[in-house]
C-alpha cells in the first residue's frame, strides 16, 4: 500500500488542475510531492500517521497559494497543543483547518508563532538527533 501511494505522489506533480485531494486513512506520515499543484484548494489527510516530525513537512505546502482548507484530524500531531497555530502560521492562505475557521485563531496568537516553531524544532532535534 505504501509503495502505491509513493508512486502516486511522484505523479501528482503533473496534475496541474487538481483542486481537491482526499488522502484520508492512507497511512501517510509526511506531506510531499504536492508542491507543484498550484490549483490545489482543499487537502484532506484525516486519520493518517502524521506525527510531530511529519508536521514539519507542512511547510512544503507554502507555495500552494490557492490552498484554503487542510484537514489533519485524527493524526498524532493534532494531540500537541499549538499545532493549529503552527500550521496556520506556515500557511497564511488557509481559511479552514480541520473544518474550523483559521484566521481568527491566527490573529489572536500571532505573537507566539515563531516561538512555537522554535520550540517544535528544538524538541524534535532533542528527540531524534541526540
Amino acid at each position: 500500500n505504501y509503495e502505491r501511494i509513493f508512486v502516486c505522489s511522484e505523479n501528482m506533480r503533473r496534475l496541474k488542475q487538481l483542486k481537491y485531494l482526499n488522502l484520508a486513512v492512507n497511512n501517510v506520515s509526511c506531506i510531499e510531492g504536492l508542491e507543484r499543484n498550484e490549483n490545489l484548494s482543499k487537502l484532506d489527510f484525516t486519520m493518517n500517521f502524521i506525527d510531530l516530525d511529519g508536521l514539519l513537512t507542512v511547510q512544503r505546502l507554502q507555495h500552494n497559494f490557492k490552498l484554503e482548507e487542510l484537514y489533519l484530524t485524527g493524526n498524532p500531531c493534532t494531540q500537541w497543543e499549538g499545532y493549529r497555530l503552527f500550521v496556520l502560521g506556515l500557511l497564511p492562505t488557509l481559511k479552514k483547518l480541520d473544518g474550523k475557521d483559521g484566521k481568527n485563531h491566527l490573529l489572536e496568537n500571532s505573537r507566539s508563532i515563531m516561538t512555537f516553531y522554535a520550540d517544535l524544532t528544538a524538541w524534535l532535534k532533542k528527540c531524534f538527533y541526540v
Side-chain angles (χ1 to χ4, degrees):
N1 203 14
Y2 172 75
E3 292 173 10
R4 193 169 42 189
I5 292 171
F6 179 74
V7 171
C8 182
S9 72
E10 288 296 311
N11 292 317
M12 286 295 195
R13 294 180 176 109
R14 297 182 182 146
L15 302 174
K16 301 292 183 189
Q17 299 305 313
L18 182 68
K19 292 183 180 184
Y20 172 52
L21 180 61
N22 187 335
L23 290 171
V25 195
N26 269 297
N27 298 325
V28 175
S29 59
C30 69
I31 299 169
E32 61 185 346
L34 299 171
E35 298 87 351
R36 294 187 182 151
N37 298 100
E38 57 258 9
N39 286 306
L40 193 61
S41 63
K42 184 176 179 180
L43 187 53
D44 191 344
F45 285 108
T46 300
M47 297 294 293
N48 279 290
F49 296 103
I50 300 173
D51 57 13
L52 292 179
D53 198 28
L55 186 62
L56 289 175
T57 63
V58 165
Q59 70 182 351
R60 295 177 181 163
L61 298 172
Q62 286 180 316
H63 297 289
N64 297 81
F65 299 115
K66 293 184 180 179
L67 187 63
E68 295 181 348
E69 292 184 59
L70 177 64
Y71 292 85
L72 294 171
T73 304
N75 284 281
C77 65
T78 63
Q79 299 300 310
W80 198 42
E81 185 180 339
Y83 89 95
R84 285 182 54 79
L85 180 62
F86 178 74
V87 172
L88 292 169
L90 284 176
L91 305 175
T93 61
L94 284 185
K95 293 180 180 174
K96 288 189 176 187
L97 176 59
D98 296 331
K100 298 176 184 171
D101 182 35
K103 294 296 177 190
N104 291 336
H105 185 77
L106 181 61
L107 291 173
E108 292 169 8
N109 296 290
S110 60
R111 281 179 253 124
S112 58
I113 292 171
M114 293 311 293
T115 302
F116 182 77
Y117 183 79
D119 290 347
L120 175 62
T121 305
W123 183 84
L124 287 169
K125 285 181 181 177
K126 181 180 172 184
C127 290
F128 297 105
Y129 303 109
V130 173

